[in-house]
């Protein structure tokens, strides 16, 4: 750290004042928004973008950049204004279009929408979990690309900065993620906590009286205090904040929380320190008063002198040029000395899977029997040596989810290593019992762009992580959520652990691939297809109980990728294939039930086709001709799935039927529950026969 006193120039201070005014103007013009925090933290964001972070406005995806996560996403203008001043592609005119149709400045930051935005934030606390994931990803990337270089000295090391508020700290997901970050000793994670004591309902003391500093110290974080309210006269002390950031970067074995005590909307004359400035426009008189207090012309709106805009953009560009020249030199030296690592980096950045991946997948013979969770574990074991970018774990359920690659070390700080090989570059993540944070962390890892991550828990606990799953779908982040124990087949654990409504609920999320393979070969094919897709999250739904293998490896490899396919064709009495009179559609463990029902129906003289439908989203992508060939519209159809029937009417239509469960389960062996609730070949055949007869009547 430098001993010289850090000072901003007059132009810097002018740019900060302008940033505050721009935030007020933008919300005023939009008629809605959150001006308070963007006003009071304008200098914080300016400091980060212009002095602290490694970034390149001309290349927002530069591999060597630091990451910035605005966990307090409602304060989107805090970031938009600095992206404008630094030259990321936003113009002042974009700020004038805040929250409007088609603008680059939506109400909350959106990944893929605005250059420089690293993750979609808004649901409070979610950004904290994303930031933890990004910090973990940076360490893993270092480990697979540059393992011989000490932590902190590699070109792949970078910092993750996040700005959060009182609301973030009150959300459970932030607590889950912060706890894991402390355990993981993520020295590359720096959080700035805007402690302004204000939320929508007023002073935070009405609901939040704990000591966040004590909490984060207990998590294992370094906590640094910067109090701009100290001494009686409010003073935005950027030198003190800069010193805290330097101290945070100097701490390599702990994440850092900078507790910054501020006054929301300062120096607004009447609404500073008030909840009235949090989530609504200030009003014309108040905006004029703010500008007057800042020494700006109250009659002008969106006023950015050209010399200031030129100064901030040239300054950001020059910092980027110097940083890129030094980094690029080191990067080329690394490439020359690490041809294998360079080949891996090029492949993953090009979103290519290694050649021969399909050949590495395990296969099973029809008639074999094993749970799809066990098959998934064997697939991960097979992928481990050929797909180094793939890693993950579970929410303390690895042995049940089968989400540990055999023999792979744990991702842990050296001080917590449990066995030989464990360490900061390990591969198996122990998320702890933190499902919501696990989902957000997986998203952060996926957004960091180099590695692919998966995380497992029971399907019934997908409810705990649904907000993160939804955000993954919004962002098109290729996170893989492994959800096992997928039905009443869980058995004795009873209705609290038996998912009934979850498949329909998850299918309701646009952009999420819900994949429920029917046997081991389908499970291998499902993993392959999931990995081919680089812009879609997937939920892989797996069974606890053993399932009979019905699909050949070849059938699964071809059919699963299409979402639904003909597993067993209708036949006449001589065994020759004929057009079906009935089609049974099933997923997961119920595929074998449908196969058994088909045998009964065929024996009764009803030509019956079985369609395995592991992913309805993938099936919907196929052309109309294929979908008609698999599910002919003029043939009676019956769906078979051990969940609610909500999503099946579009496939079976008014003449069809669904064998489903519309109530909670019970505590009993899974096989008994399947029998009691009608998931047997005999019952499905009976329902199908009655449905066919009714359609013919």
């Amino acid at each position: 750290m430098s001993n010289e006193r850090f000072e901003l120039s007059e132009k810097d201070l002018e740019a900060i004042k302008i940033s505050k005014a721009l935030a007020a103007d933008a919300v005023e013009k939009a008629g809605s928004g959150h001006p308070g925090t963007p006003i009071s933290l304008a200098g914080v964001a300016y400091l980060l973008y212009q002095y602290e972070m490694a970034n390149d406005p001309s290349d927002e995806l530069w591999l060597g950049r630091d990451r910035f996560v605005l966990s307090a996403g409602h304060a989107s203008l805090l970031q938009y204004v600095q992206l404008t001043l630094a030259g990321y592609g936003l113009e002042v005119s974009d700020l004038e279009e805040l929250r409007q149709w088609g603008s680059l400045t939506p109400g909350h930051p959106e990944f893929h929408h605005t250059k420089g935005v690293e993750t979609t934030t808004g649901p409070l606390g979610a950004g904290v979990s994303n930031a933890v994931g990004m910090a973990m990803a940076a360490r893993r990337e270092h480990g697979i690309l540059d393992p011989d270089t000490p932590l902190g000295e590699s070109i792949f090391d970078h910092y993750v900065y996040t700005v959060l508020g009182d609301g973030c700290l009150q959300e459970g997901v932030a607590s889950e993620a912060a706890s894991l970050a402390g355990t993981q000793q993520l020295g590359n994670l720096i959080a700035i906590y805007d402690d302004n004591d204000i939320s929508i309902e007023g002073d935070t003391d009405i609901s939040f009286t704990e000591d966040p500093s004590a909490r984060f110290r207990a998590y294992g974080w370094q906590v640094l205090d910067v109090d701009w309210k100290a001494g009686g006269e409010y003073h935005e002390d950027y030198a003190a904040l800069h010193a805290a950031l330097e101290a945070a970067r100097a701490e390599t074995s702990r994440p850092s929380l900078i507790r910054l005590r501020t006054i929301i909307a300062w120096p607004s004359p009447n609404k500073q320190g008030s909840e009235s400035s949090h989530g609504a426009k200030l009003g014309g008189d108040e905006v004029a008063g703010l500008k007057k207090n800042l020494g700006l012309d109250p009659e002008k709106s969106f006023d950015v002198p050209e010399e200031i805009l030129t100064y901030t953009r040239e300054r950001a560009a020059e910092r980027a040029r110097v940083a890129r020249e030094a980094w690029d030199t080191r990067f080329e030296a690394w490439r020359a000395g690490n041809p294998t690592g360079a080949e891996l980096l090029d492949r993953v950045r090009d979103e290519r899977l290694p050649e021969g991946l399909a050949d590495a997948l395990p296969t099973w013979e029809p008639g074999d029997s094993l749970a799809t969770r066990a098959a998934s574990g064997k697939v991960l074991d097979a992928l481990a040596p050929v797909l180094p970018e793939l890693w993950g774990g579970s929410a303390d359920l690895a042995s049940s989810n089968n989400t540990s690659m055999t023999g792979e070390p744990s991702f842990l700080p050296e001080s917590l290593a449990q066995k030989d090989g464990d360490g900061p570059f390990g591969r198996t993540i122990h998320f702890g019992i933190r499902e919501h944070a696990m989902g957000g962390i997986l998203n952060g890892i996926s957004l960091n762009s180099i590695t692919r991550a998966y995380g497992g828990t029971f399907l019934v606990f997908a409810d705990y992580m649904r907000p993160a799953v939804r955000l993954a779908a919004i962002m098109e982040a290729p996170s893989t959520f492994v959800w096992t124990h997928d039905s009443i087949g869980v058995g004795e654990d009873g209705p609290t652990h038996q998912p009934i409504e979850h498949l329909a609920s998850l299918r309701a999320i646009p952009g999420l691939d819900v994949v429920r393979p029917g046997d081991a070969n389908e499970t291998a094919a499902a993993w392959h297809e999931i990995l081919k897709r680089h812009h879609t999250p997937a939920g892989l739904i797996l069974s606890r109980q053993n399932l009979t293998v019905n699909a050949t490896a070849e059938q699964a490899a071809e059919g699963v990728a299409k979402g639904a396919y003909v597993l067993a064709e209708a036949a006449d009495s001589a065994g020759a294939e004929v057009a079906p009179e009935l089609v049974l559609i099933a997923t997961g463990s119920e595929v074998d039930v449908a196969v058994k029902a088909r045998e009964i129906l065929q024996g009764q003289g009803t030509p019956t086709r079985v369609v395995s439908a592991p992913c309805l989203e993938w099936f919907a992508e196929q052309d109309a001709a294929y979908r008609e060939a698999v599910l002919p519209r003029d043939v009676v159809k019956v769906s078979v799935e051990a969940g609610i029937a909500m999503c099946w009417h579009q496939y079976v239509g008014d003449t069809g039927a669904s064998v489903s469960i519309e109530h909670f389960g019970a505590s009993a062996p899974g096989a008994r529950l399947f029998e009691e609730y009608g998931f047997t070949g005999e019952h499905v055949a009976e329902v199908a026969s009655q449905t066919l007869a009714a359609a013919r009547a």
Side-chain angles (χ1 to χ4, degrees):
M1 292 189 293
S2 172
N3 292 322
E4 294 183 11
R5 171 74 177 176
F6 176 83
E7 289 187 14
L8 294 176
S9 71
E10 288 300 319
K11 285 186 176 179
D12 290 326
L13 295 174
E14 185 71 9
I16 292 171
K17 292 177 182 179
I18 290 168
S19 298
K20 292 173 180 280
L22 286 172
D25 284 339
V27 174
E28 202 69 21
K29 185 174 187 295
S32 66
H34 298 78
T37 298
I39 291 170
S40 54
L41 293 192
V44 175
Y46 183 86
L47 192 69
L48 288 173
Y49 275 92
Q50 293 288 338
Y51 283 90
E52 309 291 345
M53 295 193 302
N55 54 23
D56 184 355
S58 69
D59 181 6
E60 76 278 6
L61 298 179
W62 170 39
L63 199 59
R65 73 191 184 281
D66 291 331
R67 288 4 180 219
F68 175 76
V69 176
L70 183 61
S71 187
H74 58 275
S76 57
L77 277 165
L78 184 66
Q79 186 169 24
Y80 296 154
V81 170
Q82 297 313 316
L83 293 176
T84 301
L85 294 184
Y88 275 83
L90 289 184
E91 300 297 338
V92 175
S93 58
D94 293 306
L95 302 178
E96 296 185 57
E97 294 301 307
L98 177 74
R99 302 167 76 94
Q100 303 306 303
W101 174 262
S103 79
L104 294 175
T105 50
H108 294 84
E110 295 181 20
F111 181 65
H112 284 318
H113 187 82
T114 308
K115 286 185 177 181
V117 171
E118 301 279 3
T119 179
T120 297
T121 56
L124 292 178
V128 177
S129 64
N130 296 162
V132 172
M134 291 177 183
M136 291 170 62
R139 200 167 84 191
R140 175 64 183 164
E141 291 162 11
H142 178 148
I144 63 175
L145 295 172
D146 198 16
D148 296 330
T149 301
L151 267 176
E153 299 179 19
S154 171
I155 54 171
F156 300 107
D157 292 324
H158 55 262
Y159 291 99
V160 180
Y161 296 86
T162 181
V163 169
L164 52 103
D166 292 298
C168 293
L169 290 192
Q170 292 173 52
E171 289 286 0
V173 63
S175 298
E176 291 180 24
S179 175
L180 183 58
T183 298
Q184 284 290 345
Q185 300 176 19
L186 298 175
N188 58 342
L189 176 62
I190 300 171
I192 300 175
Y193 163 36
D194 176 28
D195 182 9
N196 62 29
D197 294 321
I198 290 295
S199 63
I200 290 175
E201 294 183 2
D203 192 299
T204 55
D205 283 349
I206 62 176
S207 61
F208 188 56
T209 57
E210 69 186 57
D211 182 355
S213 297
R215 193 217 302 183
F216 273 74
R217 288 191 183 98
Y219 288 152
W221 288 55
Q222 171 183 227
V223 178
L224 303 163
D225 279 298
V226 178
D227 190 353
W228 283 356
K229 296 193 288 187
E233 183 176 346
Y234 191 69
H235 172 53
E236 293 184 339
D237 189 345
Y238 299 115
L241 179 56
H242 170 72
L245 288 164
E246 286 200 318
R249 289 188 288 266
E251 173 54 72
T252 60
S253 61
R254 291 181 294 171
S256 294
L257 179 77
I258 299 173
R259 186 174 183 178
L260 178 64
R261 299 171 197 266
T262 67
I263 296 176
I264 192 170
W266 187 87
S268 172
N270 302 302
K271 294 189 176 183
Q272 62 173 277
S274 168
E275 68 273 14
S276 63
S277 69
H278 172 80
K281 64 179 185 176
L282 298 180
D285 290 343
E286 189 72 8
V287 172
L290 168 69
K291 293 176 182 176
K292 199 169 183 180
N293 286 347
L294 291 169
L296 303 176
D297 188 342
E299 300 298 321
K300 293 182 178 179
S301 295
F302 298 100
D303 182 35
V304 184
E306 190 62 35
E307 65 170 310
I308 294 297
L309 191 59
T310 299
Y311 168 74
T312 57
R313 290 182 174 179
E314 288 184 350
R315 190 179 195 292
E318 178 60 17
R319 282 186 72 242
R321 184 191 65 78
V322 172
R324 286 300 298 264
E325 285 183 358
W327 188 89
D328 289 346
T329 298
R330 296 177 63 207
F331 180 68
E332 291 307 318
W334 171 83
R335 287 190 70 93
N338 296 271
T340 301
E343 182 180 355
L344 171 61
L345 178 61
D346 291 343
R347 178 175 65 74
V348 296
R349 296 198 83 189
D350 290 343
E351 298 182 345
R352 291 182 286 112
L353 294 177
E355 293 183 10
L357 177 63
D359 296 333
L361 296 172
T363 60
W364 291 266
E365 292 299 319
D368 289 348
S369 178
L370 75 164
T372 50
R373 61 170 174 156
S376 175
K378 293 183 182 300
V379 172
L380 289 174
D381 289 346
L383 290 172
V386 297
L387 207 65
E389 67 267 31
L390 183 66
W391 62 314
S394 83
D396 199 52
L397 289 168
S399 60
S400 290
N401 299 145
N402 295 96
T403 49
S404 292
M405 297 173 174
T406 302
E408 291 294 331
S410 293
F411 180 83
L412 288 168
E414 294 288 359
S415 62
L416 297 179
Q418 304 288 305
K419 61 184 184 301
D420 289 346
D422 291 353
F425 300 149
R427 192 169 195 175
T428 301
I429 306 173
H430 304 284
F431 291 100
I433 306 165
R434 304 181 179 98
E435 291 90 351
H436 193 174
M438 177 176 70
I441 288 167
L442 291 175
N443 291 345
I445 292 171
S446 298
L447 297 171
N448 221 53
S449 81
I450 299 300
T451 62
R452 294 285 295 268
Y454 59 86
T457 187
F458 293 171
L459 177 58
V460 77
F461 300 135
D463 285 343
Y464 282 156
M465 56 195 304
R466 185 180 182 87
V469 176
R470 184 174 186 271
L471 284 168
I474 289 173
M475 294 187 287
E476 301 178 345
S479 303
T480 302
F481 309 105
V482 180
W483 291 313
T484 69
H485 297 59
D486 68 343
S487 72
I488 54 173
V490 170
E492 293 86 347
D493 280 338
T496 60
H497 283 55
Q498 294 167 5
I500 301 299
E501 73 279 22
H502 294 69
L503 289 168
S505 172
L506 291 166
R507 287 174 181 143
I509 299 176
L512 174 68
D513 294 336
V514 180
V515 190
R516 190 174 184 235
D519 63 22
N521 282 329
E522 284 196 2
T523 302
W527 265 111
H528 193 199
E529 183 63 22
I530 287 169
L531 292 169
K532 287 180 181 177
R533 295 168 176 260
H534 296 273
H535 302 282
T536 312
L540 183 59
I541 318 292
L542 305 171
S543 74
R544 176 197 186 193
Q545 72 274 29
N546 285 357
L547 305 181
T548 300
V549 175
N550 286 293
T552 66
E554 293 75 19
Q555 276 183 302
E558 180 179 355
V560 169
K562 296 179 179 178
Y565 66 101
V566 177
L567 174 66
E569 187 55 281
D572 61 19
S573 58
E577 291 188 0
V578 295
E581 296 180 13
L582 263 173
V583 175
L584 303 179
I585 319 165
T587 76
S589 50
E590 292 75 71
V591 171
D592 191 54
V593 174
V595 169
K596 288 181 169 62
R598 174 187 176 274
E599 293 173 0
I600 295 170
L601 291 162
Q602 286 284 154
Q604 295 172 349
T606 304
T608 303
R609 170 187 292 179
V610 173
V611 170
S612 177
C615 183
L616 299 180
E617 292 78 21
W618 296 347
F619 184 58
E621 294 174 359
Q622 308 309 310
D623 60 41
Y626 177 80
R627 287 184 276 118
E628 172 68 18
V630 173
L631 298 177
R633 70 189 69 187
D634 58 352
V635 176
V636 173
K637 294 175 280 290
V638 175
S639 66
V640 190
E641 186 172 73
I644 64 173
M646 183 177 290
C647 60
W648 284 106
H649 183 269
Q650 63 179 309
Y651 297 101
V652 302
D654 292 338
T655 60
S658 291
V659 178
S660 63
I661 179 169
E662 305 297 325
H663 53 78
F664 295 115
S667 179
R672 177 65 181 272
L673 293 175
F674 267 63
E675 181 180 345
E676 291 289 341
Y677 296 143
F679 294 98
T680 64
E682 292 77 11
H683 182 253
V684 171
E686 180 183 356
V687 170
S689 294
Q690 293 173 353
T691 303
L692 181 60
R696 289 172 170 173

